[in-house]
Every structure is written in structure tokens, then in C-alpha cells.
Amino acid sequence: MYAPPAWPATLGSGGYEAGWTVRRHYGDYAGWLAGQSDELMRARRDEAELNFRRVGITFAVYGDQDAGAADTERLIPFDLIPRIIPADEWERLERGLVQRVTALNRFIHDVYHAQEILRAGVVPAGQVLNNSQYRPIMQGLAVPNQIYAHIAGIDLVRAGNAQGAGEYHVLEDNLRVPSGVSYMLENRKMMMRLFPDLFSRYPVAPVAHYPDLLLETLRDASPGKSAHPTVVVLTPGMYNSAYFEHAFLAQQMGVELVEGQDLFVQNGFVHMRTTRGPQRVDVIYRRVDDDFLDPEVFRPDSTLGCAGLMAAQRAGHVAICNGVGTGVADDKSIYPYVPKMIEFYLGEQPILNNVPTWLCRDADDLKYVLAHLEELVVKEVHGAGGYGMLIGPAASADEIGRFRQAVLADPGNYIAQPTLSLSTCPTYVESGIAPRHIDLRPFVLSGQQVRMVPGGLTRVALQEGSLVVNSSQGGGTKDTWVLEA
């Protein structure tokens, strides 16, 4: 068994095989880490924090009762120890992600057109047509390439032996406005700055070309025939929690970052105001939720979008990415049916499995969930950011009691899943190097073809024993290294 002093033998499956030996693809890194002093690592951590703060890589915290106004902008903690994925492992993940996102796009197109999967009874029609994320205005509307989720963030977890001997499972599909890719890119830049020698030891696959792939994907969605379609990033503004990412991606792609007031619709076409006069817009990469996009169709009081956007799209004069109504496919009550979607549309068995899920809208599932609340993770179907969730084993009796009443009051608003024995990865914390639970969010781009950069955003639960990796709940991030074959 090999466990260098700087890398304790008590760490989890992220870096170790059963029996606490270092996994093969971590071997060189473990040897390198053993030679680094604690003083050097602390200095590098301080340097990373200083640079992230200078660049302005922050996120907003909403509704934090303990934070003053000055504390609502926070850095996402960055961990110095990378998560390493060998080439063969990534190859399977990539095939599974391409398969899944292809099926999800087929599903969204189907429910807004022929609805074959509903008529076949594979997915209950009521769960789709009565879903709060279903947008009737999209019914029958043709979109370029029949793609709705141009950018998908698929959350993966690696379960312990009880749930599949180290197999990756899909925990959640994010298809509306998935965020976090800017942290993936900045984490890599920071690691290359702090530890350049490591990248000569390891054949780490690059991720820096993501903005180029994203721009190409967005241009593929253009409904016009222009060889150089105009793409913009639509942001709710600087007070949005992901504003740094909006500005970062616009800058990296070399396109304009706009707010709703910068756009107007005239004669069925969308234009942006510029110092040289109006300029037609072909593709809008929107980071604004459906309800705020067009006050003529959705919320009339919204100032975040632009009146007439949906009419311009229906006329075939602009593309909105991700498409309006994609949320019907990433609802947590639809998630259990994705494996059936893969079989229905592609005629294939899923490469990546779901986490077992109970739908509280089902009477038998509800009975089981209520009898086992202290063992399960219970989530709101539209919840995000780690909010609206009960982790039974870590909850008090009072918390379980309150959640029981909430589930009974509105069963259709909740799902439940087993408390997974998530894998851990060595993480640099105040006490030194210790295991912390992690997940992985690869970003899948769908244009003329489905593709992605190798890796994704690894999120880490920095609190000891915690299973919640969300930044809003105190989580951090790591660089993700996919090794080239």
C-alpha cells in the first residue's frame, strides 16, 4: 500500500482503490504532492484567492440572513488538488453524455410537436402538459436543427460500492440556463499558473477551446443564411449571481453582452442598439429564465427581456439558446423517465444510469418515502442550488417533521432518492489534506454535432461529511483533469 505522508491513507475513492492504495492514474501526482511543503501549498492557495478576487470571479448569495450587504458577493473556494479522470473512463462518460443529451433534445422536440412518447404512454402526458415548465407557445414552432438544449450541464456522481461499485450515475440534467463553465476554465488557468511543471508530467486534455466550440454551436443555431451570424449573450444584469460568467463568456467569444434594454424588435427582426446604429441579431444566448424573456408573452412586468422576442422567433428571424420550454425536460419529476427516452428514441440501452428515484405523486412511492424520510434525500422538483432539499440522515427530528408536512401538502412537488455513498477526492483544507465528497458537471454542446471539452466542473463539499456541493451552500470547485490516451 502506498500512502505518502502528505496524502493520508484515510482518503476516499477519488484517489484510492479499495484497500487504500493510490489509484494508478494518481500515482505520479501523489509522488509530486508528497514533496510539497505545507508552507508552499498555503502560499499557492492564498495566491489563487488573491487572483480570483482581482479578476472578480464571484457569485451572489441571495437571501443570506447572516450576511450583510457587503458580503453577498463571495468567492467560490478553489481547491488546489485536481480531480483526475483516466482516458478510458472519460471515453465511456462522453459516449453516455452524448447519448443522453441527444435523447433529451429528441424528447423536447417531440413534446412540442407529434407527442409520440406521450401517446405511447412512455411518459405520462399529464406530467408534461401540466408541468409548470411546459410552454404551449412552443407547440408546433420549428427550431433550427430541432435542437432546444444547445448547452447542457449534466451532473454526475460516482457512488460507492453499495450503489454500483464506483459507477457514475446521472444525478440531474440542467437544460435551461446551466452555469459554471467559467469556473471550469478559470480553474484550469489558475492551476497552470500555480503549478506549470505538473502539466509536463501529465498529458492533461485541454479545455481552453470551449468558448470557440460554444460560439460555433450558437452560430449553428442561426435561422438565417448569413455566413457570419451575429450572436449576443443576454444577461439579467450585474446583480445576477452568474453575471461574471455571462460577461466572461461574451468576452471569450468576442460577442456583445447585452441586457433587455439593449434590444428591440422591428418588422419582426431583433436588433441591438450600438453606437453605429441598430444591428440585427441572429442568435441570442440567453441567461434569462423563460418567464422574463418577453413581457408580451410571459411576465408583463419584466424589464429583463425584450418585447416581441417570441414573435421574432416564430417568424424564423432569431434563435434563442437554450430554447424556451427546455425546462420541461430537466424537471426532477421527468428525470426518472430519461432512460426510457433513450430506449424510445434511440433504440439503445442507457450507458449512464440514473439514481433510483421515488416520485411522491405516486401513492405507493409516497408511502415508501414517508416511511423512510430519515434515510432519503428529498428534493423539490423545481429546486436548485441545494435549496428545498432534505438530507434525511443529517436532518433533525424537527426538520424531518416539517418536511413530512410539506410533502403531504403537495406530493407532486417532491421526489426522493437514496442517500448515495458518494466518492471522495483528496482536498486541501485548513487541517491539511482530507477527503471531501465531489460531483462532476460536464458541459455538452449540441449544434451540427454533439460534443464537449474533456472534463467539466468538479464541485466539492468542503464541510466534512457534507454531501451538498453547491456554491450557495458552502461548496468549492476543483480543476478536472482528463488524461489523454
Side-chain angles (χ1 to χ4, degrees):
M1 180 174 70
Y2 172 50
W7 193 325
T10 55
L11 299 184
S13 60
Y16 282 81
E17 301 285 7
W20 309 119
T21 56
V22 177
R23 297 179 70 194
R24 184 186 308 173
H25 55 280
Y26 273 89
D28 286 348
Y29 180 81
W32 174 88
L33 185 60
Q36 310 307 306
S37 68
D38 186 59
E39 290 76 14
L40 174 69
M41 296 296 285
R42 288 184 183 276
R44 292 290 184 266
R45 186 181 62 182
D46 293 345
E47 183 181 346
E49 180 175 333
L50 178 63
N51 279 282
F52 280 143
R53 197 173 294 281
R54 283 175 175 168
V55 174
I57 306 176
T58 61
F59 71 100
V61 181
Y62 301 136
D64 189 340
Q65 302 299 319
D66 298 325
D71 295 324
T72 57
E73 287 289 329
R74 295 182 181 173
L75 290 176
I76 294 182
F78 169 67
D79 181 48
L80 299 176
I81 300 178
R83 187 237 191 100
I84 304 175
I85 301 174
D88 58 339
E89 203 170 278
W90 174 253
E91 188 272 335
R92 182 175 181 275
L93 284 178
E94 185 173 37
R95 286 190 294 109
L97 291 165
V98 168
Q99 179 194 59
R100 190 176 183 96
V101 172
T102 299
L104 284 165
N105 269 306
R106 293 278 294 273
F107 171 74
I108 301 169
H109 177 77
D110 186 22
V111 299
Y112 288 119
H113 291 82
Q115 299 184 348
E116 293 177 356
I117 200 167
L118 306 186
R119 289 190 282 109
V122 176
V123 179
Q127 275 187 241
V128 173
L129 303 180
N130 298 327
N131 193 296
S132 65
Q133 295 300 315
Y134 180 76
R135 307 300 183 199
I137 194 173
M138 295 296 291
Q139 191 65 43
L141 195 156
V143 299
N145 307 313
Q146 298 184 3
I147 298 296
Y148 293 78
H150 306 83
I151 303 98
I154 309 298
D155 290 347
L156 303 172
V157 293
R158 194 169 196 180
N161 291 337
Q163 282 79 29
E167 286 295 317
Y168 285 93
H169 290 69
V170 176
L171 184 64
E172 193 170 293
D173 303 296
N174 299 280
L175 307 179
R176 282 172 274 183
V177 282
S179 63
V181 75
S182 59
Y183 303 111
M184 175 190 81
L185 296 170
E186 288 293 331
N187 287 352
R188 176 60 54 84
K189 286 169 60 177
M190 185 57 66
M191 285 295 287
M192 295 181 76
R193 174 176 180 154
L194 297 177
F195 309 109
D197 56 314
L198 281 175
F199 292 87
S200 62
R201 285 174 173 253
Y202 269 99
V204 181
V207 297
H209 57 297
Y210 176 87
D212 298 328
L213 292 183
L214 175 60
L215 181 58
E216 188 175 333
T217 298
L218 295 170
R219 285 174 170 167
D220 284 348
S222 174
K225 297 181 180 179
S226 171
H228 302 286
T230 298
V231 177
V232 298
V233 178
L234 175 62
T235 177
M238 64 182 296
Y239 295 107
N240 183 266
S241 62
Y243 180 73
F244 165 78
E245 177 158 297
H246 307 165
F248 174 86
L249 290 175
Q251 186 271 331
Q252 291 290 305
M253 289 189 290
V255 305
E256 293 296 330
L257 178 69
V258 301
E259 297 183 26
Q261 62 190 358
D262 300 318
L263 302 177
F264 66 94
V265 176
Q266 187 175 62
N267 299 324
F269 292 90
V270 180
H271 302 268
M272 67 173 162
R273 297 178 172 89
T274 76
T275 56
R276 300 178 300 279
Q279 181 178 351
R280 179 177 162 182
V281 173
D282 301 291
V283 181
I284 299 173
Y285 176 26
R286 55 86 172 231
R287 299 300 295 259
V288 176
D289 289 338
D290 288 358
D291 288 340
F292 301 94
L293 269 179
D294 185 343
E296 291 183 355
V297 176
F298 302 114
R299 288 184 54 156
D301 61 341
S302 173
T303 59
L304 301 180
C306 171
L309 275 188
M310 294 304 298
Q313 184 184 31
R314 185 164 289 277
H317 296 157
V318 72
I320 299 174
C321 306
N322 282 350
V324 170
T326 57
V328 73
D330 73 4
D331 181 285
K332 292 181 178 65
S333 69
I334 299 296
Y335 156 90
Y337 298 98
V338 178
K340 293 182 179 180
M341 294 178 199
I342 293 171
E343 296 175 18
F344 185 81
Y345 294 115
L346 307 181
E348 301 169 356
Q349 290 299 308
I351 296 170
L352 298 174
N353 293 317
N354 276 14
V355 174
T357 302
W358 292 270
L359 293 170
C360 293
R361 67 171 60 243
D362 179 87
D364 290 339
D365 283 7
L366 176 62
K367 183 178 179 181
Y368 179 86
V369 170
L370 292 175
H372 297 84
L373 280 176
E374 69 281 358
E375 305 169 12
L376 301 174
V377 176
V378 187
K379 304 175 183 178
E380 291 182 349
V381 296
H382 300 304
Y387 297 106
M389 181 169 70
L390 174 79
I391 300 179
S396 66
D398 285 346
E399 289 171 329
I400 291 174
R402 288 195 299 269
F403 229 84
R404 181 185 302 277
Q405 295 307 312
V407 172
L408 282 169
D410 187 7
N413 192 42
Y414 294 92
I415 65 164
Q417 296 171 329
T419 305
L420 296 180
S421 174
L422 298 186
S423 67
T424 61
C425 188
T427 301
Y428 193 78
V429 295
E430 283 301 321
S431 59
I433 299 173
R436 293 293 185 266
H437 295 294
I438 54 174
D439 78 352
L440 176 65
R441 177 177 291 181
F443 296 89
V444 186
L445 300 174
S446 299
Q448 295 291 348
Q449 55 184 310
V450 183
R451 53 192 174 172
M452 67 202 77
V453 297
L457 179 65
T458 291
R459 301 183 297 178
V460 53
L462 292 175
Q463 297 180 22
E464 184 175 1
S466 174
L467 298 174
V468 182
V469 299
N470 306 80
S471 56
S472 56
Q473 306 289 306
T477 65
K478 290 173 170 285
D479 192 13
T480 307
W481 292 4
V482 172
L483 303 183
E484 295 181 319

